[in-house]
Amino acid sequence: MSAPHLPKVAGIDPEVPVSTQNAAPLREIPAAPGAFIQDRLAGWVSDLTTLHELTERLASTATLDAALNELLHAGAALVGARRGLLVLERAGTTTPSTTLGLGLGPADLGHLETVERSATALGRVLDGPPEAADARDGIATPDLLGDQDLDPRHREVATRLGYAASYALPLASEAAGRLGGAVWFYDEPGEPSEKQRHLVGLYARYATEHLARLTELERARADIATVAEELLPSRLPRIPGVRLAARHRTGPQGGGDWYDALPLPDHALGLAVGSVGGSGPSAMAAMGRLRASLRAYAVMEGEDPVAVLSDLELLLRLTEPARTATALFAYCEPAARKVVLAGAGHTPPLVLGDRRCEYVETTLSAPLGMLACWEAPSVEFSPAPGETVLLYTDGLLRRTGDAMDRAFARLHSAAASVPKADRHDPAAVTDHVLRAMLPDGLDRSDSTEDVVVLAAHFD
């Protein structure tokens, strides 16, 4: 008879014999496999995390100056240096070069500029052919003072400033080309490791792309500001009995805020401020057309501000029906100290003097282009000798970030706080008001609002 089969159990083959021998006891725990690879991976993750943090900080910069400063500091941290120098210059452009130092004062930068450019590593990465290996990978000089071929003037400057080694790297990429170069200085002989060179090279290529974008953006902003300034008065007129001052800043995208001051017959003066809806080149062009039209209407019928704005509204409705604008026009007779004004959806003027600081009560009216027929009564008032009439656009209020009622109160407080010694100088009045309203200044890059302030001081 054949031997009986064992019952079948899931996972066990009864045909396979089971060993009766016990395994030897484990006396030593073997090392985990791949420990070296794990260490390498941990190092790579740490390097990539550091690189990611630095590039995130760089990407958050909105101005060219801030990006250059961040690049210098981050590069110094990556290569283990304490001081550095960056030169930004783009071939084929008329833009002047930008030089920035890290841990170097103006006198130190002056000493470095006395060294012949070709005698420095930075000069070689700036002027060398882009395809050269040094121009791509950077130039390390581990022992400057030990180099027998070092330029004598370079040796003298290195000794004076106390650096013994340097590492220069181009700021270049395939898309942006070469924008400049950076060099970091070591207090003792040395050079960055291969890993440090690799990391700073990756960072520099990313930084070059970011700098190229910011350079184009700042060039566009400068062009917009130039066009905006050309559309506004090149100088303010001189009329007996009144002195004028104006301040204007265009937002980064280009806006439609404007002002004007023009002499009129019989020694009169026309003052105007306004704002065109929208931003960009289209709004700037509309602003130029609106200002030119108002000048023509003011010459013909300036003594009647309501007629001037009515004609302007009709023109805007017929030629640009999809656009709205606010405007305020004042007809001034300085000899008689008489001001007649009308406004279309615009902020009221502010009168500042030794005995009063108050808003001029104007009638409530809609902006130009919103009604089928615009018309609002004019307002007449008489500024006392020594008083200043302040005209402005709502961009001044909006840039504060406050609600409009609080912004109006803030403007009133700013005007009331003008020192008495400055109240007879319209330029001092406008500057004080701007400092009080905008402590961070007019050139904040994160604000899209235009600002116009026009002051007329009556003697």
Side-chain angles (χ1 to χ4, degrees), residues 72 83-87 98-102 104 108-109 112-113 122 167 169 181-185:
L72 262 182
R83 292 178 290 177
L85 174 67
L86 185 148
V87 174
T98 300
T99 302
L100 186 67
L102 170 65
L104 299 170
D108 300 332
L109 295 177
L112 288 169
E113 288 179 355
L122 179 59
Y167 177 68
L169 187 68
V183 60
W184 291 275
F185 301 111

Side-chain angles (χ1 to χ4, degrees), residues 207-242:
T208 301
E209 300 289 344
H210 186 61
L211 291 178
R213 290 190 292 269
L214 289 179
T215 301
E216 293 298 326
L217 181 60
E218 294 212 350
R219 185 179 294 114
R221 288 174 177 173
D223 292 341
I224 287 175
T226 301
V227 172
E229 292 299 326
E230 291 296 326
L231 291 173
L232 296 175
S234 58
R235 63 182 180 86
L236 296 173
R238 293 184 178 182
I239 304 294
V242 64

Side-chain angles (χ1 to χ4, degrees), residues 397-423:
L397 306 175
R398 297 183 186 280
R399 275 211 187 190
T400 63
D402 297 332
M404 291 304 287
D405 57 341
R406 291 179 59 87
F408 275 114
R410 186 170 175 177
L411 176 58
H412 185 276
S413 299
S417 65
V418 175
K420 288 189 176 182
D422 294 337
R423 293 191 177 187

Side-chain angles (χ1 to χ4, degrees), residues 273-429:
V273 290
S275 177
V276 175
S279 61
S282 175
M284 294 173 63
M287 175 262 285
R289 292 191 293 268
L290 203 67
R291 173 178 170 263
S293 301
L294 185 140
R295 289 176 70 91
Y297 298 143
V299 170
M300 292 186 294
E301 47 193 5
E303 67 278 1
D304 186 358
V306 172
V308 171
L309 293 186
S310 296
D311 292 342
L312 196 64
E313 193 277 337
L314 179 61
L315 177 72
L316 186 69
R317 182 157 47 90
L318 293 177
T319 60
E320 300 184 63
R323 194 178 296 279
T324 61
T326 66
L328 186 146
F329 178 73
Y331 177 80
C332 308
E333 296 180 9
R337 283 191 293 276
K338 172 185 173 183
V339 178
V340 183
L341 65 87
H346 205 80
T347 51
L350 184 68
V351 179
L352 168 66
D354 293 334
R355 297 186 178 182
R356 64 171 173 169
C357 179
E358 60 187 25
Y359 288 104
V360 177
E361 292 187 6
T362 57
T363 56
L364 184 64
S365 62
L368 302 175
M370 292 192 67
L371 300 178
C373 181
W374 178 92
E375 186 170 336
S378 60
V379 175
E380 181 178 329
F381 68 98
S382 298
E387 288 188 334
T388 299
V389 179
L390 203 67
L391 284 66
Y392 54 93
T393 59
D394 61 356
L396 175 65
L397 306 175
R398 297 183 186 280
R399 275 211 187 190
T400 63
D402 297 332
M404 291 304 287
D405 57 341
R406 291 179 59 87
F408 275 114
R410 186 170 175 177
L411 176 58
H412 185 276
S413 299
S417 65
V418 175
K420 288 189 176 182
D422 294 337
R423 293 191 177 187
H424 298 280
D425 182 358
V429 171

